[in-house]
Each structure stands twice: as structure tokens, then as C-alpha cells.
């Protein structure tokens, strides 16, 4: 194994986060990225060292040219007075069979972890009910054409998980079966049809597609809540429960006037702050931007930060002293209503917003701070009060 050291000329937190995120996609021969002082160490296996080194340099140059640092607006910050666990929380959860690891980015959940998971989800459902949310269940798959309506694929190509099937051809299917049984690695376009569907990457696009070409009354906000499995390929960034390939998202989707959407977003931020205070967690809520993959969208990321279109709820992970984003409070303006032709009866613009929580990582961050016993105690003593507050 060989190591390339990247000395960071820019120590801005968002810059380093974006650089680490993109480095993972350069080559499958990159097996680890570690941070040591003012440097990133990129660990490489295989014989493509020089090729990868050149690609790393190009990425750093592109990011340096396009990155415009904007200081995050810290809306809320809480220091915890709790004593954090002094043991490996991930290993403890595995040992107690609260979580079951499979392939990279794939984990099963049970026992008390699942209790906490369900408790959090019910709390978010109750938040949505404050605004009259109607609950829906949407498919795990979404059409590629739908994603292209709002340019998702070109903005986040690295995340995509395609869904397809064998081509409708009896001889080809029989041939495929025979060759696979003989040990052939035949999972290619010879046999697999061109995909028309994608594993969904978020909940809200299904909502906007549901109301496509419809006219709504702005006197009353349309609110939908849904929970479902999402899939995003994250390469070697997938680690423990912090970042999964297959994860569960609960969203509260807001469609209405600017005033209604912003007011509901502010109320959800207030509810989140109350929750964090009740548990005494170490956390912050600050402005952020989506991890657009291509430099073409760097100005959009900058605009998100500057206009505070996106706030993230971050919880501390004590074992590595890093923060983990567990939820976001998003205002989209008229971006999605224009893409899906959603109009109002009055002719005024229709705005949207989305409140989203990653349930596995939220539960994991709580366990990381409270520990196994602390989380059990909280669930036993505080759950009923919390759910109906």
C-alpha cells in the first residue's frame, strides 16, 4: 500500500468535508482517507499510483478554483454536560445484537436500537401532524425521467443506484442462468436491460410528482409526511452507521405560500431544539449546502449557504470528535413547483420546503452520546412525555 499526502492549504471545515467526500470517488484503489493535522493521507492499493496521484491533483485544483468559502450561520449550539461513553459504541451495539453488519453500507437493526428508531420516527410524524400532514407510502423506485425533470442526475451522479432486470428474451435468460451456474460473472449489458428506474435517493420527489400539473389553494398549506428506504452510493465514505448505502428517511414535505413554508420550517427547528435540550445532547444547527458533485454546481452550493436555504442539525460523535448531520430543514423556493408545473389558483408562486431526518444515523448519534444504558433509561422514562408533547 502506498500513501499520498495532501497538504491542506485551506483549513475551512466545509472545504475539507467536500474534499474528503469527492476523493473517495476517484478510484476503487483508494481504500482509506485519514486526516492527520493539516494533511489528508490517501491510502492506495494496486498499480495505478501515478494515475491516481494526477487525478488527486486535478481534483484539488478544480476545488480550489471553484470553492468560495462562506461562513456557516450557526442558528443554535448546545454543549453537553453528559459524560460520554468510554467504550466502542459500534462494537457494543454489534455485541448486543442491536445492529447486524452485512456488506459495506448495509446494516440490519433490531432490539433497543429499533425501539429508539421507531420512537424518533413517531415523534417526527407528530411534528408533521401539527401542520395537518397527510401520510403516504411511496415506492422504493423512481423513474429516471422524473429525476431528470429537476436535474438530479447531473447534479449527484456519484450517488446513483440503478434498478434494472434481465432483457425479455427466453434464450438469453436461459443462457444467463446456465453461465451463472457455471461460475460466469455475467452481470453486464449483454444480459441486463437499459434501466428506466432508479433506487430513490430522497422522499420528496415522489410528492412533487404526485402533484404535477395540479393547481392548489395557497390559503392552506399542503403537507405530506412519508418514511422510506433511500439508497445513495458513497464509496469508501460508507462507514459504520454514520453513512449507509441503504438508509431510512422520514420527511415532512411542505407545499404552499412562502409565508406558510418558512413558518413551518421555523417551527420544526424550534421543535428540534426543544428535543436536543431535553436530552442534553451536544449539537448545533447551522446553514449548509448539498454536496453537488460537479464544479458546474459550485455557485448553487454557494447560493444555498449565502441565502440560508438549508440548515442542518448536527450531533457530536464523541468517539471521533466529529459532527454528524442527522437532519435538515430545507427551503426550495419555486425550484420544484416550476419543474413539476404546480400552480396556485390565485396565480401567485407556489413554494416548497422539506424537513428530513435520517433515522438510523439520528438514533446512532444519540447512542454515541448517551451510551447503551443511558439510551435505555431515557426511552423508559421520557418516551411517552416526548411523543405527546
Amino acid at each position: 500500500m502506498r500513501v499520498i499526502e495532501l497538504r491542506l492549504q485551506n483549513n475551512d471545515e466545509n472545504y475539507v468535508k467536500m474534499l474528503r467526500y469527492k476523493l473517495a470517488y476517484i478510484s476503487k484503489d483508494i481504500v482509506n482517507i485519514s486526516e492527520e493535522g493539516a494533511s489528508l493521507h490517501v491510502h492506495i492499493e494496486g498499480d495505478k499510483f501515478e494515475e491516481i496521484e494526477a487525478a488527486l491533483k486535478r481534483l484539488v485544483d478544480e476545488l480550489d478554483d471553484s470553492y468560495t468559502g462562506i461562513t456557516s450561520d450557526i442558528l443554535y449550539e448546545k454543549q453537553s454536560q453528559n459524560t460520554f461513553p468510554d467504550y466502542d459504541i459500534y462494537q457494543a451495539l454489534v455485541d448486543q445484537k442491536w445492529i447486524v453488519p452485512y456488506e459495506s453500507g448495509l446494516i440490519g437493526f433490531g432490539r433497543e436500537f429499533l425501539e429508539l428508531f421507531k420512537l424518533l420516527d413517531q415523534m417526527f410524524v407528530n411534528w408533521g401532524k401539527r401542520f395537518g400532514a397527510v401520510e403516504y407510502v411511496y415506492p422504493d423506485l423512481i423513474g429516471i425521467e422524473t429525476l431528470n425533470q429537476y436535474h438530479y442526475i447531473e447534479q449527484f451522479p456519484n450517488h446513483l443506484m440503478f434498478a434494472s432486470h434481465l432483457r425479455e428474451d427466453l434464450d438469453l435468460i436461459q443462457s444467463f442462468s446456465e453461465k451463472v451456474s457455471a461460475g460466469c460473472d455475467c452481470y453486464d449489458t449483454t444480459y441486463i436491460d437499459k434501466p428506466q428506474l432508479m433506487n430513490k435517493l430522497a422522499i420528496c420527489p415522489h410528492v412533487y410528482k404526485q402533484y404535477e400539473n395540479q393547481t392548489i389553494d395557497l390559503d392552506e398549506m399542503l403537507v405530506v409526511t412519508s418514511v422510506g428506504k433511500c439508497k445513495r452510493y458513497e464509496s469508501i465514505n460508507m462507514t459504520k452507521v454514520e453513512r449507509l448505502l441503504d438508509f431510512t428517511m422520514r420527511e415532512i414535505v411542505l407545499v404552499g405560500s412562502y409565508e406558510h413554508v418558512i413558518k413551518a420550517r421555523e417551527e420544526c427547528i424550534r421543535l428540534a431544539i426543544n428535543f436536543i435540550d431535553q436530552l442534553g445532547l451536544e449539537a448545533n444547527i447551522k446553514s449548509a449546502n448539498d454536496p453537488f458533485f460537479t464544479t458546474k454546481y459550485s455557485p448553487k452550493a454557494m447560493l444555498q449557504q449565502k441565502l440560508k436555504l438549508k440548515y442542518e442539525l448536527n450531533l457530536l460523535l464523541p468517539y471521533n470528535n466529529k459532527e454528524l448531520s442527522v437532519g435538515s430543514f430545507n427551503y426550495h423556493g419555486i425550484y420544484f413547483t416550476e419543474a413539476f408545473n404546480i400552480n396556485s389558483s390565485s396565480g401567485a408562486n407556489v413554494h416548497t420546503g422539506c424537513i428530513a431526518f435520517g433515522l438510523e444515523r439520528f438514533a446512532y448519534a444519540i447512542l454515541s452520546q448517551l451510551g447503551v444504558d443511558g439510551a435505555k433509561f431515557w426511552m423508559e422514562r421520557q418516551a411517552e412525555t416526548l411523543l405527546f408533547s
Side-chain angles (χ1 to χ4, degrees):
M1 183 183 294
R2 300 177 69 179
V3 178
I4 296 175
E5 180 181 2
L6 292 178
R7 292 190 174 275
L8 299 171
Q9 303 301 317
N10 187 342
N11 288 322
D12 177 76
E13 176 187 5
N14 291 324
Y15 172 88
V16 176
K17 182 179 178 180
M18 181 61 70
L19 179 59
R20 288 196 61 153
Y21 162 75
K22 291 189 175 185
L23 284 174
Y25 295 96
I26 285 179
S27 170
K28 65 180 180 180
D29 292 338
I30 295 178
V31 295
N32 187 39
I33 301 169
S34 59
E35 193 170 340
E36 299 181 27
S39 299
L40 290 181
H41 289 204
V42 184
H43 302 256
I44 300 168
E45 289 183 345
D47 57 1
K48 298 181 179 179
F49 182 85
E50 287 76 14
E51 178 182 329
I52 294 172
E53 186 176 37
L56 290 175
K57 186 179 184 307
R58 286 198 303 274
L59 173 61
V60 171
D61 288 345
E62 288 176 3
L63 196 56
D64 285 347
D65 289 342
S66 63
Y67 184 80
T68 303
I70 296 178
T71 303
S72 295
D73 174 44
I74 300 176
L75 200 63
Y76 164 84
E77 195 165 23
K78 173 81 173 183
Q79 299 295 317
S80 176
Q81 303 302 314
N82 295 330
T83 300
F84 297 133
D86 58 359
Y87 53 87
D88 185 331
I89 187 66
Y90 178 80
Q91 191 59 50
L93 295 174
V94 172
D95 292 344
Q96 297 194 38
K97 297 183 172 56
W98 289 24
I99 66 175
V100 185
Y102 293 98
E103 290 84 1
S104 176
L106 300 179
I107 292 181
F109 301 90
R111 303 196 177 188
E112 283 86 345
F113 190 102
L114 194 55
E115 289 182 25
L116 179 55
F117 174 103
K118 290 179 177 178
L119 177 65
L120 289 170
D121 189 42
Q122 185 58 57
M123 179 178 71
F124 301 138
V125 169
N126 291 345
W127 290 6
K129 288 180 179 178
R130 289 170 175 254
F131 312 108
V134 178
E135 187 158 17
Y136 281 85
V137 174
Y138 296 106
D140 282 354
L141 301 176
I142 191 166
I144 288 176
E145 287 188 4
T146 298
L147 294 177
N148 276 329
Q149 276 185 256
Y150 66 101
H151 307 291
Y152 186 96
I153 291 176
E154 64 188 77
Q155 296 177 72
F156 305 98
N158 51 309
H159 284 162
L160 305 177
M161 295 287 293
F162 295 90
S164 190
H165 51 80
L166 295 179
R167 288 161 45 200
E168 291 95 334
D169 183 317
L170 288 177
D171 292 337
L172 180 141
I173 293 172
Q174 181 64 34
S175 170
F176 174 84
S177 177
E178 292 170 355
K179 289 186 177 182
V180 168
S181 66
C184 174
D185 182 8
C186 301
Y187 308 99
D188 56 48
T189 54
T190 303
Y191 298 95
I192 298 175
D193 201 17
K194 178 182 177 181
Q196 303 295 323
L197 298 170
M198 200 83 71
N199 287 283
K200 75 170 182 278
L201 304 105
I203 306 292
C204 59
H206 274 300
V207 179
Y208 305 134
K209 188 68 175 177
Q210 176 180 350
Y211 291 97
E212 184 175 23
N213 297 325
Q214 294 190 27
T215 300
I216 68 171
D217 184 353
L218 291 184
D219 289 339
E220 189 171 337
M221 184 168 59
L222 188 159
V223 184
V224 171
T225 187
S226 182
V227 68
K229 283 289 191 177
C230 300
K231 295 170 180 63
R232 297 178 189 174
Y233 182 68
E234 300 273 9
S235 188
I236 60 170
N237 290 326
M238 295 182 293
T239 176
K240 298 182 178 178
V241 190
E242 297 171 31
R243 195 175 291 274
L244 297 170
L245 172 65
D246 179 284
F247 60 96
T248 312
M249 187 96 78
R250 164 64 68 180
E251 293 192 19
I252 303 168
V253 183
L254 315 166
V255 183
S257 68
Y258 170 81
E259 292 77 14
H260 284 156
V261 169
I262 292 299
K263 184 177 180 180
R265 183 174 79 151
E266 290 174 350
E267 174 65 7
C268 286
I269 290 174
R270 184 191 68 79
L271 291 167
I273 291 172
N274 288 346
F275 174 65
I276 296 303
D277 288 343
Q278 182 177 345
L279 267 70
L281 300 175
E282 185 148 332
N284 65 61
I285 297 176
K286 61 185 177 182
S287 59
N289 60 266
D290 290 314
F292 299 101
F293 193 74
T294 60
T295 54
K296 171 184 175 182
Y297 287 96
S298 295
K300 188 172 181 179
M302 182 179 69
L303 194 64
Q304 275 188 320
Q305 280 272 18
K306 188 174 182 179
L307 299 182
K308 304 177 180 61
L309 304 180
K310 182 184 189 73
Y311 279 99
E312 285 187 341
L313 169 61
N314 304 287
L315 297 185
L316 175 72
L317 297 178
Y319 60 82
N320 63 9
N321 201 35
K322 293 186 179 298
E323 59 186 34
L324 178 67
S325 172
V326 300
S328 61
F329 311 89
N330 308 279
Y331 166 61
H332 308 132
I334 60 174
Y335 181 79
F336 286 106
T337 55
E338 283 194 335
F340 290 93
N341 191 35
I342 303 171
N343 300 295
S344 73
S345 54
S346 67
N349 287 332
V350 181
H351 297 248
T352 68
C354 174
I355 316 301
F357 299 99
L359 295 179
E360 294 92 349
R361 57 166 57 187
F362 207 137
Y364 184 63
I366 290 173
L367 285 160
S368 297
Q369 291 198 30
L370 299 185
V372 171
D373 291 336
K376 281 183 179 179
F377 178 83
W378 173 75
M379 284 190 284
E380 292 169 357
R381 300 300 178 89
Q382 301 293 333
E384 186 174 346
T385 302
L386 173 68
L387 283 176
F388 298 101
S389 60

